[in-house]
PDB file of all heavy atoms in Angstrom:
ATOM      1  N   ILE A  14     -73.707 213.006 104.951  1.00 93.00           N
ATOM      2  CA  ILE A  14     -73.584 211.548 105.089  1.00 93.00           C
ATOM      3  C   ILE A  14     -74.363 210.842 103.974  1.00 93.00           C
ATOM      4  O   ILE A  14     -73.856 209.914 103.336  1.00 93.00           O
ATOM      5  CB  ILE A  14     -74.092 211.088 106.475  1.00 93.00           C
ATOM      6  CG1 ILE A  14     -73.241 211.693 107.582  1.00 93.00           C
ATOM      7  CG2 ILE A  14     -74.122 209.574 106.571  1.00 93.00           C
ATOM      8  CD1 ILE A  14     -71.798 211.275 107.578  1.00 93.00           C
ATOM      9  N   VAL A  15     -75.591 211.276 103.723  1.00 91.00           N
ATOM     10  CA  VAL A  15     -76.415 210.652 102.673  1.00 91.00           C
ATOM     11  C   VAL A  15     -75.778 210.858 101.307  1.00 91.00           C
ATOM     12  O   VAL A  15     -75.732 209.930 100.488  1.00 91.00           O
ATOM     13  CB  VAL A  15     -77.855 211.212 102.713  1.00 91.00           C
ATOM     14  CG1 VAL A  15     -78.642 210.792 101.487  1.00 91.00           C
ATOM     15  CG2 VAL A  15     -78.551 210.754 103.971  1.00 91.00           C
ATOM     16  N   ALA A  16     -75.277 212.051 101.027  1.00 92.00           N
ATOM     17  CA  ALA A  16     -74.641 212.314  99.734  1.00 92.00           C
ATOM     18  C   ALA A  16     -73.397 211.460  99.549  1.00 92.00           C
ATOM     19  O   ALA A  16     -73.149 210.936  98.457  1.00 92.00           O
ATOM     20  CB  ALA A  16     -74.283 213.796  99.623  1.00 92.00           C
ATOM     21  N   ARG A  17     -72.626 211.284 100.614  1.00 92.00           N
ATOM     22  CA  ARG A  17     -71.422 210.458 100.516  1.00 92.00           C
ATOM     23  C   ARG A  17     -71.783 209.001 100.259  1.00 92.00           C
ATOM     24  O   ARG A  17     -71.153 208.325  99.449  1.00 92.00           O
ATOM     25  CB  ARG A  17     -70.606 210.597 101.800  1.00 92.00           C
ATOM     26  CG  ARG A  17     -69.260 209.926 101.698  1.00 92.00           C
ATOM     27  CD  ARG A  17     -68.411 210.177 102.897  1.00 92.00           C
ATOM     28  NE  ARG A  17     -69.153 209.765 104.092  1.00 92.00           N
ATOM     29  CZ  ARG A  17     -68.761 210.045 105.329  1.00 92.00           C
ATOM     30  NH1 ARG A  17     -67.679 210.746 105.534  1.00 92.00           N
ATOM     31  NH2 ARG A  17     -69.466 209.639 106.362  1.00 92.00           N
ATOM     32  N   GLU A  18     -72.817 208.501 100.933  1.00 90.00           N
ATOM     33  CA  GLU A  18     -73.255 207.119 100.713  1.00 90.00           C
ATOM     34  C   GLU A  18     -73.814 206.943  99.301  1.00 90.00           C
ATOM     35  O   GLU A  18     -73.591 205.923  98.658  1.00 90.00           O
ATOM     36  CB  GLU A  18     -74.320 206.733 101.743  1.00 90.00           C
ATOM     37  CG  GLU A  18     -73.808 206.638 103.155  1.00 90.00           C
ATOM     38  CD  GLU A  18     -72.915 205.439 103.371  1.00 90.00           C
ATOM     39  OE1 GLU A  18     -73.139 204.402 102.731  1.00 90.00           O
ATOM     40  OE2 GLU A  18     -71.984 205.560 104.181  1.00 90.00           O
ATOM     41  N   ALA A  19     -74.541 207.944  98.814  1.00 87.00           N
ATOM     42  CA  ALA A  19     -75.136 207.853  97.478  1.00 87.00           C
ATOM     43  C   ALA A  19     -74.065 207.878  96.398  1.00 87.00           C
ATOM     44  O   ALA A  19     -74.208 207.223  95.356  1.00 87.00           O
ATOM     45  CB  ALA A  19     -76.120 209.001  97.261  1.00 87.00           C
ATOM     46  N   ALA A  20     -72.988 208.603  96.633  1.00 88.00           N
ATOM     47  CA  ALA A  20     -71.916 208.679  95.637  1.00 88.00           C
ATOM     48  C   ALA A  20     -71.234 207.330  95.452  1.00 88.00           C
ATOM     49  O   ALA A  20     -70.756 207.017  94.363  1.00 88.00           O
ATOM     50  CB  ALA A  20     -70.895 209.738  96.051  1.00 88.00           C
ATOM     51  N   GLY A  21     -71.228 206.513  96.496  1.00 86.00           N
ATOM     52  CA  GLY A  21     -70.579 205.211  96.408  1.00 86.00           C
ATOM     53  C   GLY A  21     -71.507 204.085  95.961  1.00 86.00           C
ATOM     54  O   GLY A  21     -71.070 202.948  95.829  1.00 86.00           O
ATOM     55  N   ALA A  22     -72.775 204.386  95.738  1.00 81.00           N
ATOM     56  CA  ALA A  22     -73.748 203.352  95.364  1.00 81.00           C
ATOM     57  C   ALA A  22     -73.593 202.959  93.903  1.00 81.00           C
ATOM     58  O   ALA A  22     -73.160 203.750  93.059  1.00 81.00           O
ATOM     59  CB  ALA A  22     -75.167 203.862  95.620  1.00 81.00           C
ATOM     60  N   ASP A  23     -73.963 201.735  93.600  1.00 85.00           N
ATOM     61  CA  ASP A  23     -73.994 201.247  92.219  1.00 85.00           C
ATOM     62  C   ASP A  23     -75.370 201.587  91.640  1.00 85.00           C
ATOM     63  O   ASP A  23     -76.337 200.860  91.825  1.00 85.00           O
ATOM     64  CB  ASP A  23     -73.750 199.744  92.185  1.00 85.00           C
ATOM     65  CG  ASP A  23     -73.724 199.195  90.775  1.00 85.00           C
ATOM     66  OD1 ASP A  23     -73.664 200.003  89.824  1.00 85.00           O
ATOM     67  OD2 ASP A  23     -73.770 197.965  90.619  1.00 85.00           O
ATOM     68  N   TRP A  24     -75.449 202.733  90.960  1.00 84.00           N
ATOM     69  CA  TRP A  24     -76.733 203.241  90.488  1.00 84.00           C
ATOM     70  C   TRP A  24     -77.374 202.357  89.435  1.00 84.00           C
ATOM     71  O   TRP A  24     -78.594 202.234  89.385  1.00 84.00           O
ATOM     72  CB  TRP A  24     -76.562 204.662  89.953  1.00 84.00           C
ATOM     73  CG  TRP A  24     -76.340 205.625  91.059  1.00 84.00           C
ATOM     74  CD1 TRP A  24     -75.150 206.108  91.503  1.00 84.00           C
ATOM     75  CD2 TRP A  24     -77.334 206.180  91.907  1.00 84.00           C
ATOM     76  NE1 TRP A  24     -75.341 206.945  92.574  1.00 84.00           N
ATOM     77  CE2 TRP A  24     -76.677 207.009  92.848  1.00 84.00           C
ATOM     78  CE3 TRP A  24     -78.719 206.059  91.970  1.00 84.00           C
ATOM     79  CZ2 TRP A  24     -77.372 207.699  93.828  1.00 84.00           C
ATOM     80  CZ3 TRP A  24     -79.396 206.768  92.951  1.00 84.00           C
ATOM     81  CH2 TRP A  24     -78.725 207.564  93.855  1.00 84.00           C
ATOM     82  N   ARG A  25     -76.573 201.729  88.592  1.00 85.00           N
ATOM     83  CA  ARG A  25     -77.158 200.864  87.554  1.00 85.00           C
ATOM     84  C   ARG A  25     -77.895 199.682  88.173  1.00 85.00           C
ATOM     85  O   ARG A  25     -78.961 199.297  87.707  1.00 85.00           O
ATOM     86  CB  ARG A  25     -76.075 200.393  86.601  1.00 85.00           C
ATOM     87  CG  ARG A  25     -75.632 201.512  85.659  1.00 85.00           C
ATOM     88  CD  ARG A  25     -74.472 201.067  84.851  1.00 85.00           C
ATOM     89  NE  ARG A  25     -73.322 201.180  85.780  1.00 85.00           N
ATOM     90  CZ  ARG A  25     -72.083 200.949  85.477  1.00 85.00           C
ATOM     91  NH1 ARG A  25     -71.773 200.536  84.277  1.00 85.00           N
ATOM     92  NH2 ARG A  25     -71.120 201.099  86.337  1.00 85.00           N
ATOM     93  N   ALA A  26     -77.339 199.112  89.228  1.00 84.00           N
ATOM     94  CA  ALA A  26     -78.006 197.998  89.908  1.00 84.00           C
ATOM     95  C   ALA A  26     -79.288 198.469  90.586  1.00 84.00           C
ATOM     96  O   ALA A  26     -80.292 197.748  90.592  1.00 84.00           O
ATOM     97  CB  ALA A  26     -77.065 197.364  90.921  1.00 84.00           C
ATOM     98  N   LEU A  27     -79.261 199.670  91.155  1.00 81.00           N
ATOM     99  CA  LEU A  27     -80.465 200.182  91.818  1.00 81.00           C
ATOM    100  C   LEU A  27     -81.583 200.470  90.824  1.00 81.00           C
ATOM    101  O   LEU A  27     -82.754 200.237  91.115  1.00 81.00           O
ATOM    102  CB  LEU A  27     -80.124 201.456  92.597  1.00 81.00           C
ATOM    103  CG  LEU A  27     -79.263 201.277  93.838  1.00 81.00           C
ATOM    104  CD1 LEU A  27     -78.889 202.630  94.415  1.00 81.00           C
ATOM    105  CD2 LEU A  27     -79.976 200.438  94.870  1.00 81.00           C
ATOM    106  N   ILE A  28     -81.218 200.986  89.650  1.00 86.00           N
ATOM    107  CA  ILE A  28     -82.234 201.320  88.644  1.00 86.00           C
ATOM    108  C   ILE A  28     -82.925 200.070  88.120  1.00 86.00           C
ATOM    109  O   ILE A  28     -84.119 200.076  87.826  1.00 86.00           O
ATOM    110  CB  ILE A  28     -81.588 202.130  87.498  1.00 86.00           C
ATOM    111  CG1 ILE A  28     -81.230 203.521  88.009  1.00 86.00           C
ATOM    112  CG2 ILE A  28     -82.508 202.230  86.294  1.00 86.00           C
ATOM    113  CD1 ILE A  28     -80.410 204.343  87.049  1.00 86.00           C
ATOM    114  N   ARG A  29     -82.198 198.974  88.054  1.00 90.00           N
ATOM    115  CA  ARG A  29     -82.768 197.719  87.537  1.00 90.00           C
ATOM    116  C   ARG A  29     -83.614 196.978  88.559  1.00 90.00           C
ATOM    117  O   ARG A  29     -84.326 196.048  88.204  1.00 90.00           O
ATOM    118  CB  ARG A  29     -81.632 196.796  87.074  1.00 90.00           C
ATOM    119  CG  ARG A  29     -81.024 197.246  85.777  1.00 90.00           C
ATOM    120  CD  ARG A  29     -80.037 196.214  85.278  1.00 90.00           C
ATOM    121  NE  ARG A  29     -78.796 196.927  84.983  1.00 90.00           N
ATOM    122  CZ  ARG A  29     -77.615 196.660  85.503  1.00 90.00           C
ATOM    123  NH1 ARG A  29     -77.473 195.663  86.326  1.00 90.00           N
ATOM    124  NH2 ARG A  29     -76.570 197.377  85.183  1.00 90.00           N
ATOM    125  N   GLU A  30     -83.573 197.386  89.801  1.00 90.00           N
ATOM    126  CA  GLU A  30     -84.259 196.662  90.879  1.00 90.00           C
ATOM    127  C   GLU A  30     -85.711 197.132  91.016  1.00 90.00           C
ATOM    128  O   GLU A  30     -85.969 198.290  91.342  1.00 90.00           O
ATOM    129  CB  GLU A  30     -83.507 196.896  92.186  1.00 90.00           C
ATOM    130  CG  GLU A  30     -83.932 196.023  93.314  1.00 90.00           C
ATOM    131  CD  GLU A  30     -83.586 194.570  93.081  1.00 90.00           C
ATOM    132  OE1 GLU A  30     -82.522 194.282  92.515  1.00 90.00           O
ATOM    133  OE2 GLU A  30     -84.409 193.722  93.459  1.00 90.00           O
ATOM    134  N   PRO A  31     -86.691 196.238  90.791  1.00 92.00           N
ATOM    135  CA  PRO A  31     -88.101 196.645  90.889  1.00 92.00           C
ATOM    136  C   PRO A  31     -88.493 197.117  92.295  1.00 92.00           C
ATOM    137  O   PRO A  31     -89.333 198.004  92.439  1.00 92.00           O
ATOM    138  CB  PRO A  31     -88.877 195.381  90.522  1.00 92.00           C
ATOM    139  CG  PRO A  31     -87.912 194.507  89.820  1.00 92.00           C
ATOM    140  CD  PRO A  31     -86.555 194.857  90.316  1.00 92.00           C
ATOM    141  N   SER A  32     -87.908 196.546  93.311  1.00 93.00           N
ATOM    142  CA  SER A  32     -88.269 196.960  94.668  1.00 93.00           C
ATOM    143  C   SER A  32     -87.851 198.408  94.946  1.00 93.00           C
ATOM    144  O   SER A  32     -88.500 199.104  95.730  1.00 93.00           O
ATOM    145  CB  SER A  32     -87.642 196.023  95.705  1.00 93.00           C
ATOM    146  OG  SER A  32     -86.235 196.091  95.646  1.00 93.00           O
ATOM    147  N   GLU A  33     -86.786 198.858  94.296  1.00 89.00           N
ATOM    148  CA  GLU A  33     -86.360 200.258  94.463  1.00 89.00           C
ATOM    149  C   GLU A  33     -87.374 201.205  93.838  1.00 89.00           C
ATOM    150  O   GLU A  33     -87.678 202.257  94.400  1.00 89.00           O
ATOM    151  CB  GLU A  33     -84.984 200.484  93.839  1.00 89.00           C
ATOM    152  CG  GLU A  33     -83.883 199.662  94.449  1.00 89.00           C
ATOM    153  CD  GLU A  33     -83.581 200.042  95.882  1.00 89.00           C
ATOM    154  OE1 GLU A  33     -83.828 201.188  96.277  1.00 89.00           O
ATOM    155  OE2 GLU A  33     -83.076 199.171  96.610  1.00 89.00           O
ATOM    156  N   TRP A  34     -87.904 200.849  92.680  1.00 93.00           N
ATOM    157  CA  TRP A  34     -88.922 201.674  92.027  1.00 93.00           C
ATOM    158  C   TRP A  34     -90.196 201.700  92.864  1.00 93.00           C
ATOM    159  O   TRP A  34     -90.861 202.727  92.972  1.00 93.00           O
ATOM    160  CB  TRP A  34     -89.218 201.160  90.621  1.00 93.00           C
ATOM    161  CG  TRP A  34     -88.102 201.460  89.679  1.00 93.00           C
ATOM    162  CD1 TRP A  34     -87.175 200.573  89.204  1.00 93.00           C
ATOM    163  CD2 TRP A  34     -87.772 202.720  89.116  1.00 93.00           C
ATOM    164  NE1 TRP A  34     -86.293 201.221  88.384  1.00 93.00           N
ATOM    165  CE2 TRP A  34     -86.635 202.545  88.307  1.00 93.00           C
ATOM    166  CE3 TRP A  34     -88.321 203.997  89.222  1.00 93.00           C
ATOM    167  CZ2 TRP A  34     -86.047 203.581  87.607  1.00 93.00           C
ATOM    168  CZ3 TRP A  34     -87.738 205.033  88.521  1.00 93.00           C
ATOM    169  CH2 TRP A  34     -86.617 204.817  87.726  1.00 93.00           C
ATOM    170  N   ARG A  35     -90.543 200.554  93.455  1.00 95.00           N
ATOM    171  CA  ARG A  35     -91.731 200.480  94.305  1.00 95.00           C
ATOM    172  C   ARG A  35     -91.551 201.366  95.544  1.00 95.00           C
ATOM    173  O   ARG A  35     -92.473 202.079  95.946  1.00 95.00           O
ATOM    174  CB  ARG A  35     -91.982 199.023  94.697  1.00 95.00           C
ATOM    175  CG  ARG A  35     -93.380 198.744  95.131  1.00 95.00           C
ATOM    176  CD  ARG A  35     -93.723 197.249  95.254  1.00 95.00           C
ATOM    177  NE  ARG A  35     -92.616 196.363  95.559  1.00 95.00           N
ATOM    178  CZ  ARG A  35     -92.011 195.555  94.680  1.00 95.00           C
ATOM    179  NH1 ARG A  35     -92.417 195.526  93.426  1.00 95.00           N
ATOM    180  NH2 ARG A  35     -91.019 194.758  95.041  1.00 95.00           N
ATOM    181  N   ALA A  36     -90.362 201.341  96.129  1.00 94.00           N
ATOM    182  CA  ALA A  36     -90.087 202.181  97.290  1.00 94.00           C
ATOM    183  C   ALA A  36     -90.146 203.660  96.914  1.00 94.00           C
ATOM    184  O   ALA A  36     -90.673 204.485  97.678  1.00 94.00           O
ATOM    185  CB  ALA A  36     -88.721 201.837  97.879  1.00 94.00           C
ATOM    186  N   LEU A  37     -89.615 204.009  95.751  1.00 92.00           N
ATOM    187  CA  LEU A  37     -89.674 205.397  95.285  1.00 92.00           C
ATOM    188  C   LEU A  37     -91.117 205.833  95.079  1.00 92.00           C
ATOM    189  O   LEU A  37     -91.514 206.920  95.517  1.00 92.00           O
ATOM    190  CB  LEU A  37     -88.879 205.555  93.989  1.00 92.00           C
ATOM    191  CG  LEU A  37     -88.929 206.931  93.340  1.00 92.00           C
ATOM    192  CD1 LEU A  37     -88.312 207.984  94.255  1.00 92.00           C
ATOM    193  CD2 LEU A  37     -88.223 206.905  91.992  1.00 92.00           C
ATOM    194  N   TRP A  38     -91.912 205.005  94.422  1.00 96.00           N
ATOM    195  CA  TRP A  38     -93.314 205.335  94.190  1.00 96.00           C
ATOM    196  C   TRP A  38     -94.050 205.501  95.511  1.00 96.00           C
ATOM    197  O   TRP A  38     -94.820 206.451  95.694  1.00 96.00           O
ATOM    198  CB  TRP A  38     -93.988 204.272  93.330  1.00 96.00           C
ATOM    199  CG  TRP A  38     -95.470 204.443  93.292  1.00 96.00           C
ATOM    200  CD1 TRP A  38     -96.392 203.639  93.856  1.00 96.00           C
ATOM    201  CD2 TRP A  38     -96.199 205.509  92.679  1.00 96.00           C
ATOM    202  NE1 TRP A  38     -97.645 204.140  93.641  1.00 96.00           N
ATOM    203  CE2 TRP A  38     -97.555 205.284  92.917  1.00 96.00           C
ATOM    204  CE3 TRP A  38     -95.821 206.640  91.959  1.00 96.00           C
ATOM    205  CZ2 TRP A  38     -98.552 206.137  92.458  1.00 96.00           C
ATOM    206  CZ3 TRP A  38     -96.818 207.497  91.500  1.00 96.00           C
ATOM    207  CH2 TRP A  38     -98.164 207.242  91.751  1.00 96.00           C
ATOM    208  N   ASN A  39     -93.831 204.586  96.463  1.00 97.00           N
ATOM    209  CA  ASN A  39     -94.499 204.692  97.760  1.00 97.00           C
ATOM    210  C   ASN A  39     -94.100 205.974  98.489  1.00 97.00           C
ATOM    211  O   ASN A  39     -94.939 206.621  99.118  1.00 97.00           O
ATOM    212  CB  ASN A  39     -94.176 203.473  98.628  1.00 97.00           C
ATOM    213  CG  ASN A  39     -94.865 202.223  98.138  1.00 97.00           C
ATOM    214  OD1 ASN A  39     -95.846 202.285  97.409  1.00 97.00           O
ATOM    215  ND2 ASN A  39     -94.340 201.077  98.517  1.00 97.00           N
TER     216      ASN A  39
END
């Protein structure tokens, strides 16, 4: 389920989002 959801995500938008980097670091 997670892999299927990740395949449909817009990765470029996620990479540009500072909150995503903060969540990854945490």
Side-chain angles (χ1 to χ4, degrees):
I14 297 297
V15 169
R17 188 174 55 191
E18 292 289 327
D23 182 12
W24 288 97
R25 286 174 282 183
L27 290 174
I28 289 171
R29 286 187 231 123
E30 191 67 37
S32 63
E33 299 293 334
W34 287 104
R35 201 168 28 256
L37 176 63
W38 169 250
N39 288 340

